[in-house]
Amino acid sequence: MILSWIGDNRLWIVATFIIVLGTALGAWFCTGFVRRLHRRAEKTANPWDDALVAALNPPAMVLIWLLGLTLAAGRAGSATGAEIFSLVVPVRQIGLILVLTWFALRFARNVEANLRNPQYMSKPMDATTVRAMGKLVRVSILITSALVLMQYLGYSISGVLAFGGIGGLAVGFAAKDLLANFFGGLMVYLDRPFAVGDWVRSPDKEIEGTVEDIGWRLTRIRTFDKRPLYIPNSIFNQIAVENPSRMLNRRIFETIGVRYEDAGQLSAIVTDVKAMLQEHPEIDSNQTLIVNFNSFAPSSLDFFIYCFTRTTEWVRFHEIKQDILLTVLRIIEGHGASCAFPTSTVHIAEVPEGLRDTTAKG
């Protein structure tokens, strides 16, 4: 009776209302379902299911509303015949492509983060490699989505690819520096001479600091005086780069001099210093360890210390080095000797008696 009162030409209003209401209920149920999936995924240490569930919301909600609203708009358009509703199908198709692209990008970003997280991986993957692969995957997703959109909008993909092949040469000449930096960054990702967080320096350039970010065009290094240093990636194809962060040990190489009058104690001093280093818990006895008398210097008898610490940490290394040098000083003093310092000896000849009398009369 109510439907007959409303009339057949008004049934689309009721249908549209029901579709919108159903869409709202579907979005509400989907939210609860995703929430339960999230709680279940938290109970496992799998990086893939957590990344998938985290990527579902909000793209899943947007997809439900997109399908529901476009369906309602299509129903209204078929009833009213309004020209604006002819855009419903293109909007639905384009929106579907964009939502799926959004979901894929979120999933790729979540996987990238999880593969570097010790919570999910007992041995997290190298951060630089994961970043590089993540960027490649995201670029591939964007390019694929763009090609699908262009094909749907009526553009010929083969024509676009042909234009890319013909115009690639011109683009290469116009953007050779950009391409050089791109491939320089690619080589850094593949060869991995350094990673984010490493301390690097170059003997060829005034480059030294901690790597903060490796981009496709620039690498950002924070110098030790806290200045950011932006280096084009192509530079790394032309210079030598040292990575002190990957040292296995740090070297102590010092020359110590004792006085010439303490020559009798030099052999015992050298023996005791070597024994001290061999027993020191912070010195790696598996590496080269040398303590030997080295040279007759102008003001001292020099012996040198050559050894390696177990630690590579910069601050800790200097604490160990200080302890060793102070211990060497105590050993030298314990043998009744002293460290030498630059000295000069002046010999005063006795004046002959005849010359002394002449000088006195003058």
Side-chain angles (χ1 to χ4, degrees):
M1 182 177 182
I2 295 176
L3 293 179
S4 62
W5 178 75
I6 293 176
D8 293 339
N9 60 339
R10 291 292 181 268
L11 285 177
W12 68 270
I13 298 177
V14 177
T16 302
F17 174 77
I18 293 174
I19 292 173
V20 173
L21 179 60
T23 301
L25 290 174
W28 181 74
F29 279 114
C30 184
T31 301
F33 178 69
V34 171
R35 190 178 297 114
R36 286 193 294 271
L37 283 179
H38 183 69
R39 286 197 296 267
R40 184 181 295 271
E42 285 182 339
K43 297 178 181 179
T44 66
N46 191 315
W48 302 97
D49 58 358
D50 284 17
L52 179 64
V53 173
L56 281 175
N57 196 16
M61 307 303 109
V62 174
L63 179 61
I64 291 174
W65 279 106
L66 173 69
L67 296 177
L69 293 180
T70 53
L71 181 62
R75 181 68 181 84
S78 62
T80 61
E83 185 67 23
I84 190 172
F85 291 110
S86 63
L87 299 176
V88 169
V89 174
V91 168
R92 180 191 300 138
Q93 298 298 328
I94 294 174
L96 180 62
I97 294 172
L98 293 179
V99 170
L100 292 177
T101 302
W102 183 21
F103 166 76
L105 290 174
R106 286 173 56 87
F107 178 65
R109 187 175 294 107
N110 292 340
V111 169
E112 177 185 339
N114 290 350
L115 291 178
R116 294 185 285 117
N117 191 343
Q119 179 181 349
Y120 297 99
M121 306 289 290
S122 58
K123 185 179 180 181
M125 295 181 63
D126 178 69
T128 303
T129 303
V130 174
R131 286 172 183 265
M133 296 304 297
K135 289 179 180 179
L136 286 174
V137 170
R138 289 196 293 273
V139 168
S140 301
I141 292 171
L142 290 174
I143 292 176
T144 303
S145 300
L147 292 176
V148 172
L149 272 176
M150 294 177 68
Q151 182 71 24
Y152 176 78
L153 295 174
Y155 295 96
S156 174
I157 294 180
S158 59
V160 173
L161 296 178
F163 171 77
I166 297 172
L169 184 62
V171 172
F173 280 113
K176 61 179 182 179
D177 291 338
L178 181 62
L179 292 176
N181 291 327
F182 172 80
F183 285 108
L186 184 60
M187 290 301 102
V188 170
Y189 281 123
L190 294 177
D191 296 338
R192 293 186 294 176
F194 53 81
V196 173
D198 284 355
W199 163 25
V200 297
R201 64 186 176 197
S202 171
D204 302 328
K205 298 282 186 179
E206 293 183 2
I207 298 174
E208 185 171 12
T210 303
V211 179
E212 288 191 338
D213 181 66
I214 304 173
W216 287 116
R217 193 177 71 86
L218 295 172
T219 292
R220 185 175 72 248
I221 294 177
R222 183 72 58 174
T223 62
F224 292 133
D225 56 359
K226 301 306 179 183
R227 294 178 300 166
L229 182 63
Y230 299 93
I231 305 171
N233 289 330
S234 59
I235 296 295
F236 295 112
N237 293 330
Q238 307 167 14
I239 63 174
V241 178
E242 297 179 5
N243 191 339
S245 298
R246 298 181 184 176
M247 290 191 299
L248 301 177
N249 304 87
R250 284 191 180 274
R251 184 183 67 174
I252 297 177
F253 184 23
E254 294 291 331
T255 299
I256 301 170
V258 298
R259 300 176 304 178
Y260 270 90
E261 52 264 39
D262 299 323
Q265 287 78 35
L266 182 59
S267 178
I269 292 172
V270 169
T271 300
D272 287 354
V273 170
K274 187 171 185 178
M276 179 271 295
L277 292 175
Q278 290 173 336
E279 297 173 0
H280 200 288
E282 296 294 340
I283 297 299
D284 190 349
S285 58
N286 295 321
Q287 302 297 327
T288 303
L289 193 157
I290 305 174
V291 182
N292 283 116
F293 172 53
N294 191 36
S295 66
F296 294 94
S299 303
S300 62
L301 299 172
D302 292 346
F303 69 94
F304 73 96
I305 295 173
Y306 189 97
C307 60
F308 292 87
T309 62
R310 297 182 185 276
T311 184
T312 59
E313 183 184 349
W314 180 245
V315 175
R316 179 59 181 158
F317 164 75
H318 282 286
E319 292 174 350
I320 296 170
K321 182 177 178 180
Q322 172 183 274
D323 176 66
I324 287 174
L325 293 179
L326 291 175
T327 304
V328 170
L329 185 60
R330 287 195 293 269
I331 290 174
I332 293 173
E333 293 175 347
H335 285 276
S338 297
C339 290
F341 55 88
T343 57
S344 298
T345 302
V346 179
H347 296 277
I348 301 176
E350 184 178 356
V351 179
E353 186 175 352
L355 183 58
R356 186 186 310 158
D357 294 339
T358 304
T359 305
K361 291 179 180 179

